């Protein structure tokens, strides 16, 4: 059901879409990140300090204070059992004074983190999570939702409540719910958002995990049945492919040759290519894709390449358009930023078969894109796409389309076959021999980093500086933003005649593109960015990457970021800026550049917790779930066969 049906306004709908929340069902399943247990009122005792507590007492006084920097509201609450006073302060919630000044002498409840000051034997609470006169209503398990920039917690909670009022169909068949004694959808949703106990939450989670794994297993099962049917899109000619290969400035590696030869053979024989090409960053996956796309064009078909970001897609487009045009073919670029009129024109050309190569973001799979004869889809960094987008590709593949997924996060072959389906051929690409491993070190000294960059830039090289993107405005440990870092770098480098610029996800796509283009052309020497440069950006002259607050990034992400440098023949350097020298993830990174080893360490370090309540998109969650619940998954697979026999489609919630 559309979000508009519960009164969400246009601009909000856009904000939510960016986070993959597009339906009422998505909001219903916007699960709390964690819970605070406020079921019992606590006494003011030192043993209750430093944790989430609920304090019930009499409101003694309320006051307000205005300094030049902040507006403060203060309250004193007398807790009768311990006969102590709780001091509460609110910062930045000045309006509260107007309401709570009338509550003096009433019984109130304050929930939040209790702080004890040993020196003064006093108790404090800053910006309580709950402050109310309704005691019974608030002595409960309190759900904490993920914060999103630009959307207040109150708005989100109200929206979740509204969504819970809508009855939605349970995608799980009744016989399976009964068989495993699972909670039906409506009960499970209530248990996630308004649990009576933490056991309720566990029971509901179990249901959602079973549901997710079964839907996933069903998707694979249907995929499998479909793929074994073969295809009519067989490769008939490769007249330009050899010419293209000869025009490349390098020799293909043995593994690239093998992958291409095998795929060509498969499609020649009328069988379906369903491949996962995995290779560490810089292993040259793109050229393999281009060779296959060219084979399709030579055989008279269209092919599409889809990438997770506009920046990455447009980079692929440049490579592909150049290759296409030298053999008289045409390439189209589709993204959601296109003007309606331009898009219309391109769509018409695609439908008429004027374009053989189509490159873009997920918009290449939009419903209004009609292909004349789409024979191949290449999906770069497939794990970055959500389930819904992958289902779209699957829908399209029903007419025999070949599919190549590319991933720079290598996972073991058996696991790859489990999550991509047993009909998937897994290929591994080796790094071209000429590459030197990137040198990596942990530093925390700005001046030293600046001097190092200065030396390299004066030698003609370029550098990336990456800052973590933090959405939570209440973040406990603030980090340097892109703006802050850019100002610091500008102050140091611009007097030396070294141009510095920044890009963030907040910029308009066209602007970000322009800046990136100037960096690619060498006009900008130092580029400060969020991790939007993480995937696929290819600037061979950029050989230094500084990652600020490196401890805030995941291991796989750090490895991807590091892969942006050391792409040419020069030595690459990765500086992990962090005060946390002992951080295990950073040590792994300094020790090895082998993606396989890093992926293994990553799984070991992250463990298998943190299952639900995070963004439910991308392969990572599926992998995590599969590893965490191997036994349950065995049942899910059997149930999926049953459901497929019944003619049921996979669902996507
Ligand atoms: P990734 O696998 O990370 O997507 P790319 O396809 O972007 O890697 O390739 C990285 C760089 O390596 C590109 O500049 C590409 O031209 C180059 N390249 C690809 N294949 C080879 C090869 N066999 N030998 C040398 N360089 C190669
Ligand atoms: Mg790539």
């Amino acid at each position: 059901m559309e979000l508009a049906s519960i009164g969400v306004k246009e601009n909000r709908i856009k904000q939510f879409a960016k986070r993959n929340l597009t339906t009422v069902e998505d909001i219903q399943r916007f699960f709390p990140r964690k819970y605070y247990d406020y079921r019992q009122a606590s006494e003011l005792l030192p043993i209750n300090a430093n944790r989430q507590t609920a304090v019930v007492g009499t409101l003694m006084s309320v006051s307000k204070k205005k300094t030049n920097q902040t507006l403060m509201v203060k309250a004193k609450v007398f807790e009768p059992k311990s006969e102590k006073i709780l001091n509460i302060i609110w910062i930045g919630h000045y309006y509260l004074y107007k309401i709570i000044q009338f509550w003096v002498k009433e019984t109130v409840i304050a929930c939040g983190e209790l702080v004890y000051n040993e020196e003064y034997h006093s108790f404090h609470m800053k910006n309580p999570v709950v402050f109310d006169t309704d005691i019974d209503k608030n002595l409960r398990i309190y759900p904490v939702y993920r914060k999103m920039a630009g959307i207040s917690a109150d708005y989100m909670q109200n929206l979740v409540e509204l969504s819970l009022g809508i009855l939605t169909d349970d995608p799980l068949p009744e016989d399976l719910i009964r068989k495993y004694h699972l909670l039906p959808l409506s009960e499970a949703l209530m248990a996630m958002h308004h649990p009576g106990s933490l056991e309720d939450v566990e029971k509901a989670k179990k249901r959602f995990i079973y549901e997710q794994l079964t839907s996933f297993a069903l998707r694979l099962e249907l995929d499998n049945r479909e793929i074994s049917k073969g295809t009519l899109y067989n490769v008939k000619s490769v007249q330009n492919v050899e010419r293209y290969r000869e025009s490349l400035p390098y020799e293909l590696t043995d593994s690239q040759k093998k992958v291409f030869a095998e795929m060509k053979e498969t499609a020649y024989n009328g069988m379906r290519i369903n491949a996962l090409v995995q290779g560490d960053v810089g292993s040259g996956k793109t050229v393999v894709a281009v060779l296959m796309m060219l084979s399709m064009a030579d055989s008279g078909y269209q092919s599409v390449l889809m990438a997770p970001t506009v920046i990455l897609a447009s980079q692929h487009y440049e490579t592909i358009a150049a290759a296409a045009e030298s053999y008289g073919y045409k390439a189209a670029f589709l993204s959601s930023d296109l003007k309606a009129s331009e898009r219309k024109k391109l769509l018409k050309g695609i439908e008429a078969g004027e374009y053989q190569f189509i490159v873009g973001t997920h918009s290449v799979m939009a419903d209004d894109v009609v292909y004349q004869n789409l024979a191949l889809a290449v999906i770069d960094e497939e794990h970055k796409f959500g389930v819904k987008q992958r289902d779209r590709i699957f829908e399209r593949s029903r007419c025999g389309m070949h599919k190549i997924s590319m991933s720079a996060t290598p996972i073991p072959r058996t696991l790859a076959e489990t999550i991509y389906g047993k009909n998937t051929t897994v290929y591994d690409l080796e790094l071209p021999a000429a590459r030197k491993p990137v040198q990596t070190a942990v530093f925390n000294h700005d001046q030293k980093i600046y001097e190092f960059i200065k030396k390299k830039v004066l030698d003609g090289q370029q550098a990336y500086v990456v800052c973590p993107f933090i959405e939570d405005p209440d973040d406990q440990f603030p980090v340097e933003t892109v703006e802050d870092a850019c100002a610091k770098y500008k102050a140091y480098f611009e007097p030396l005649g070294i141009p510095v610029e920044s890009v963030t996800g907040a910029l308009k796509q066209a602007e970000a593109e322009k800046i990136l283009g100037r960096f690619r052309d060498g006009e900008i020497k130092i580029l400060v960015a969020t991790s939007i440069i993480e995937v696929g950006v290819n600037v061979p002259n950029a050989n230094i990457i500084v990652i600020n607050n490196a401890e805030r990034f995941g291991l796989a992400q750090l490895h991807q970021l590091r892969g942006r440098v050391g792409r040419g023949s020069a030595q690459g350097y990765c500086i992990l800026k962090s005060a946390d020298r002992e951080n295990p993830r950073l040590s792994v990174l300094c020790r090895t550049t082998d993606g396989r080893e890093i992926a293994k360490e990553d799984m070991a370090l992250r463990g298998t917790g943190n299952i639900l309540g995070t963004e439910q998109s991308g392969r990572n969650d599926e992998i995590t779930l599969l590893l965490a619940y191997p036994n349950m998954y065995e049942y899910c697979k059997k149930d999926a066969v049953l459901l497929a026999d019944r003619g049921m489609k996979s669902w996507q919630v």
Side-chain angles (χ1 to χ4, degrees), residues 250-253 256 279-287 316 380-381 408 432 435 536 538 540 564 567:
Y250 48 81
E251 169 93 3
L252 292 185
T253 61
Q256 283 169 325
D280 214 339
V281 281
S283 58
K285 295 182 286 292
T286 314
V287 67
H316 281 311
D380 197 13
E381 307 293 344
R435 300 276 159 72
N538 191 15
R564 297 310 110 215
R567 305 198 126 219

Side-chain angles (χ1 to χ4, degrees), residues 97 114 147 171 355 385 465 502 591:
Y97 180 79
L114 187 67
K147 291 212 177 81
Y355 296 98
F385 289 100
V465 179
S502 66
R591 196 176 71 229

Side-chain angles (χ1 to χ4, degrees), residues 445-625:
H445 198 290
D446 277 332
Q447 206 60 28
K448 276 200 181 129
I449 297 173
Y450 294 163
E451 275 160 29
F452 181 76
I453 296 178
K454 183 172 109 189
K455 199 168 128 245
K456 293 289 173 189
V457 170
L458 293 177
D459 273 352
Q461 301 196 351
Q462 289 166 277
Y464 297 103
V465 179
V466 181
C467 304
F469 173 65
I470 305 295
E471 205 174 29
D472 194 337
D474 288 355
D475 205 283
Q476 293 216 352
F477 306 95
V479 299
E480 208 170 82
T481 63
V482 168
E483 288 75 25
D484 299 339
C486 188
K488 278 165 72 180
Y489 274 79
K490 275 190 173 183
Y492 183 92
F493 286 98
E494 292 200 335
L496 302 169
I498 298 173
V500 178
E501 249 350 299
S502 66
V503 287
T504 65
L507 275 186
K508 285 234 172 63
Q509 201 56 56
E511 269 167 69
E513 268 304 303
K514 217 154 77 196
I515 292 172
L516 215 69
R518 281 167 57 211
F519 184 65
R520 210 174 293 144
D521 296 341
E523 202 183 304
I524 296 167
K525 295 295 177 195
I526 300 173
L527 184 71
V528 188
T530 51
S531 56
I532 60 165
I533 62 148
E534 171 186 342
V535 282
V537 173
N538 191 15
V539 181
N541 193 44
N543 281 306
I544 307 145
I545 186 163
V546 179
I547 304 174
N548 281 342
N549 289 97
E551 74 286 347
R552 301 301 285 277
F553 291 90
L555 187 49
Q557 206 182 6
L558 288 168
H559 178 60
Q560 285 272 337
L561 284 168
R562 178 167 65 176
R564 297 310 110 215
V565 300
R567 305 198 126 219
S569 49
Q571 175 65 53
Y573 299 93
C574 172
I575 300 170
L576 304 168
K577 185 169 180 249
S578 176
D580 186 5
R581 286 188 154 273
E582 308 299 318
N583 186 299
R585 274 173 289 143
L586 305 189
S587 322
V588 172
L589 230 56
C590 293
R591 196 176 71 229
T592 178
T593 53
D594 179 350
R596 222 166 291 274
E597 165 120 16
I598 289 169
K600 222 164 69 192
E601 293 278 354
D602 191 27
M603 277 195 223
L605 286 174
R606 272 190 308 138
T608 47
N610 192 27
I611 311 288
L612 284 170
T614 58
E615 244 158 318
Q616 290 169 38
S617 68
R619 291 263 177 217
N620 279 336
D621 298 324
E622 281 156 8
I623 299 179
T624 318
L625 279 182

